[in-house]
Amino acid sequence: MKVVVIGAGVVGVATAWYLTKDGHEVTIVERRSAPAEETSFGNAGGVCPGFAGPWAAPGMPFKALKWMFQKHPPLKFRPKLDPQQWSWLFQFILNCTSARFADNKARMQRMAHYSKACLVALREETGIAYDHASKGVLQTFCCDEEMEAGTRASKVLTSLGIEHVLADAAGVAAIEPALNIAGAGVVGGLHLPGDETGDCRLFTQELAKLVAQKGGRFLFDTEVTGFATSGDTIDGVVTKEGLVAADAVVVAGGPFIVPLMKSIGISLPIYPVKGYSLTCDITDEAKAPASSIVDEHSKVMVSRLGSRVRAAGVAELAGFDPRLPKSAVEGVRERVALLYPGAGDYARAEFWCGFRPMMPDGPSRVGKTRFANLFLNSGHGSNGWTQACGTGKVVTDIIAGREPDIAV
């Protein structure tokens, strides 16, 4: 079968990998000049099934209001005359109930743990290297309120059978010796030893090479502008260079695919939630992270990626604004310098921003559409790196007419 995949980020390339393994003739169409040049370029680096869950949670609207008065808030809302922004925000608030949160979290957890298993199997099969490490991820708490929330999270993890350790300050220090516990005010943490770290961009680039070796064809600098349709069937994707014919099409183009899908009557409530990251070389091994932490207080994640430190954070609802404002950049830099002082040359760090394809409820959209041969693998939000292999495998099974290993 001829299958076209729209998007060469980690989700699109992972999908292409499983499709080529399945014997399909795969063409990946990407508007940028190389794989992983958008959302997959500079994310936090954590493969964190244990922490997978929706941002829409009970109490989140109240927290967001409090953050508005902080110097470096983890969530920023910049109102625009944009119906899509307000519609997404309204749906987000509707999902901040206990019942919806529990259902959405269960779905995301199921996919995330399945995806982690798929990633491990892929790594063992191919020997792919991407500055990965399997030393767990630590969530740190800086006040009693955060520690209490961590205790509640621990109970949920126990009910799901997920290995974890709820640690006090001394336990945190044992897990991450270089962490500046006193300076950051860390009182405890939640450690998930089964979670991993790795460079998402490097993984995507290396996997793209393996896809090409299996016969996958990449069309870079090629933007999909529409679909050729016949009734309820997609005949191919339309580009400025011409029609790319297909027996099936998978849409995995991040937050940029909303207008494209709308052109054929499919409305996706995906909004581009902007995030920031910095990357710098490690200059002092003794002061560097052992693995990865999620600082609950600032929502900044700090990861060790081989000989580099990556820190990422901030969620900004401002549409497709590509600027790197000083306040956001300094917020991430100040926090990582406080957590791991002297670990890297933060003054010379490289900064990046990208757009997470966020669904208001949390779970991505994977599977069939109203067109018989058009499939979705979109809306992964901040969980694209964590869930890419799993959703890629699931959509491949659906296209092949097989029952997926898990429900989506």
Side-chain angles (χ1 to χ4, degrees):
M1 186 184 295
K2 293 182 179 180
V3 184
V4 168
V5 177
I6 301 174
V10 67
V11 173
V13 173
T15 302
W17 164 255
Y18 288 106
L19 286 167
T20 55
K21 274 194 65 179
D22 214 36
H24 300 288
E25 183 181 329
V26 181
T27 300
I28 304 91
V29 184
E30 168 57 47
R31 68 193 194 107
R32 299 295 293 268
S33 59
E37 290 294 299
E38 295 280 3
T39 311
S40 303
F41 185 96
N43 66 15
V47 178
C48 305
F51 290 116
W55 288 8
M60 181 56 75
F62 179 69
K63 286 182 180 179
L65 288 174
K66 289 197 301 181
W67 287 333
M68 289 176 63
F69 301 99
Q70 293 183 9
K71 181 182 178 182
H72 299 303
L75 175 65
K76 297 180 180 181
F77 174 54
R78 297 187 180 181
K80 299 167 67 71
L81 293 175
D82 178 6
Q84 183 189 359
Q85 183 190 61
W86 289 97
S87 174
W88 185 93
L89 188 63
F90 178 69
Q91 293 178 68
F92 179 86
I93 293 172
L94 289 180
N95 277 281
C96 290
T97 66
S98 297
R100 292 190 182 186
F101 174 78
D103 180 63
N104 291 330
K105 184 177 179 66
R107 290 172 59 194
M108 295 177 73
Q109 283 277 314
R110 183 167 60 244
M111 179 58 75
H113 285 278
Y114 174 69
S115 187
K116 160 73 184 311
C118 291
L119 173 61
V120 171
L122 188 159
R123 188 168 67 223
E124 292 175 349
E125 176 185 354
T126 64
I128 190 170
Y130 49 95
D131 282 340
H132 61 278
S134 303
K135 297 181 180 180
V137 174
L138 172 69
Q139 184 181 26
T140 59
F141 308 125
C142 295
C143 64
D144 291 340
E145 182 182 357
E146 292 173 6
M147 192 70 193
E148 290 171 4
T151 302
R152 292 193 296 271
S154 173
K155 293 178 181 177
V156 173
L157 292 170
T158 298
S159 69
L160 296 172
I162 298 170
E163 182 184 3
H164 67 283
V165 175
L166 188 64
D168 58 12
V172 168
I175 296 166
E176 275 287 340
L179 185 64
N180 183 13
I181 292 176
V186 176
V187 298
L190 185 64
H191 187 231
L192 286 100
D195 287 4
E196 297 188 350
T197 54
D199 188 327
C200 179
R201 183 192 186 202
L202 183 56
F203 172 86
T204 306
Q205 291 173 331
E206 294 301 307
L207 188 61
K209 294 175 184 177
L210 297 178
V211 170
Q213 290 173 12
K214 284 185 172 290
R217 181 172 66 126
F218 286 85
L219 300 180
F220 293 115
D221 296 311
T222 305
E223 185 167 2
V224 176
T225 58
F227 296 95
T229 63
S230 298
D232 68 347
T233 302
I234 302 292
D235 296 324
V237 300
V238 179
T239 75
K240 290 182 179 179
E241 288 71 32
L243 177 70
V244 183
D247 300 314
V249 176
V250 180
V251 180
F256 307 97
I257 51 86
V258 173
L260 178 66
M261 299 305 292
K262 194 172 183 179
S263 70
I264 54 171
I266 296 177
S267 179
L268 292 175
I270 294 174
Y271 193 77
V273 178
K274 188 178 180 182
Y276 300 83
S277 73
L278 71 79
T279 307
C280 65
D281 291 334
I282 292 172
T283 55
D284 190 332
E285 288 283 343
K287 297 178 180 179
S291 181
S292 181
I293 69 160
V294 180
D295 178 42
E296 178 62 21
H297 189 71
S298 65
K299 308 297 183 182
V300 169
M301 185 171 188
V302 184
S303 298
R304 183 191 186 113
L305 300 176
S307 61
R308 298 165 295 147
V309 172
R310 168 76 53 77
V314 187
E316 189 173 288
L317 281 76
F320 290 104
D321 181 354
R323 294 175 296 175
L324 282 167
K326 184 177 180 181
S327 59
V329 167
E330 289 303 315
V332 175
R333 177 155 49 194
E334 286 178 14
R335 196 61 185 175
V336 66
L338 175 64
L339 292 163
Y340 289 99
D345 189 354
Y346 301 126
R348 296 186 180 182
E350 295 181 357
F351 288 91
W352 170 87
C353 66
F355 303 99
R356 309 174 183 98
M358 295 293 299
M359 299 296 299
D361 54 354
S364 55
R365 298 299 185 264
V366 181
K368 299 178 181 180
T369 69
R370 67 183 184 86
F371 289 90
N373 62 337
L374 180 65
F375 303 87
L376 292 176
N377 194 1
S378 305
H380 294 67
S382 59
N383 285 269
W385 182 202
T386 296
Q387 299 192 9
C389 290
T391 60
K393 176 69 165 61
V394 165
V395 80
T396 296
D397 287 339
I398 292 172
I399 290 172
R402 296 187 295 266
E403 187 72 23
D405 295 329
I406 62 168
V408 296

